[in-house]
Amino acid sequence: MGNPIAILIADDNKLMRQTLKLIIAGIHDTRLVGEATNGEEAIALAKEHLPDIILMDIYMTPVNGFEATRKILKDDPSIKIIGLSLHNQPSYAKNMLQLGAKGYISKNSNHNEIIKAIQKVAAGEKYIAPDIEEKL
């Protein structure tokens, strides 16, 4: 068995971060390496912890998830990013995927959907939540 999947959460909403932490804690062979409250922190923590996966909220200030994704992947293209948004807008998903994200899920997804996204992306596959994929 290899090392556990190192996951970083980047979301400005405390309740969302706590929910994601609980979900991650229930996934076998994962570990949370940090949580960022904005894109700036996500960039710094990605350099510090070198996570395998970042769950990236797209709307944060002062640096949003699009910009943070671009900067993180420029520095380390091996990091896999899953975009997270309240909105299941296909244009947001397209933008994140064009920036190099490996997945995109809506915050309206249930916990099984989030687990599936993490597992698929960790295995090297792309993952788009069905409610978004059908609109792409």
Side-chain angles (χ1 to χ4, degrees), residues 13-70:
N13 182 292
K14 185 176 184 176
L15 183 60
M16 190 67 200
R17 287 194 313 274
Q18 289 175 331
T19 301
L20 290 169
K21 281 192 330 194
L22 286 171
I23 292 168
I24 291 164
I27 305 172
H28 175 69
D29 221 19
T30 62
R31 68 186 174 95
L32 183 68
V33 294
E35 47 183 302
T37 60
N38 62 54
E40 237 168 23
E41 283 181 17
I43 294 164
L45 290 174
K47 282 182 184 164
E48 183 183 339
H49 296 291
L50 304 172
D52 298 307
I53 292 178
I54 300 175
L55 297 174
M56 180 76 74
D57 181 20
I58 61 170
Y59 282 106
M60 301 178 283
T61 57
V63 176
N64 67 35
F66 296 116
E67 184 62 17
T69 295
R70 190 183 65 70

Side-chain angles (χ1 to χ4, degrees), residues 24-131:
I24 291 164
I27 305 172
H28 175 69
D29 221 19
T30 62
R31 68 186 174 95
L32 183 68
V33 294
E35 47 183 302
T37 60
N38 62 54
E40 237 168 23
E41 283 181 17
I43 294 164
L45 290 174
K47 282 182 184 164
E48 183 183 339
H49 296 291
L50 304 172
D52 298 307
I53 292 178
I54 300 175
L55 297 174
M56 180 76 74
D57 181 20
I58 61 170
Y59 282 106
M60 301 178 283
T61 57
V63 176
N64 67 35
F66 296 116
E67 184 62 17
T69 295
R70 190 183 65 70
K71 287 185 174 170
I72 289 166
L73 293 178
K74 185 173 173 252
D75 288 344
D76 188 346
S78 72
I79 294 175
K80 297 174 175 102
I81 296 179
I82 299 171
L84 273 177
S85 176
L86 268 176
H87 311 284
N88 61 357
Q89 290 291 329
S91 60
Y92 299 158
K94 262 190 201 139
N95 195 356
M96 282 298 282
L97 295 169
Q98 285 169 347
L99 289 168
K102 301 295 182 205
Y104 191 90
I105 52 178
S106 160
K107 289 183 181 179
N108 296 319
S109 299
N110 67 36
H111 71 283
N112 289 329
E113 193 77 47
I114 295 167
I115 292 167
K116 195 183 212 179
I118 290 169
Q119 291 172 332
K120 292 238 181 221
V121 168
E125 298 173 45
K126 282 197 170 165
Y127 186 85
I128 304 198
D131 63 327

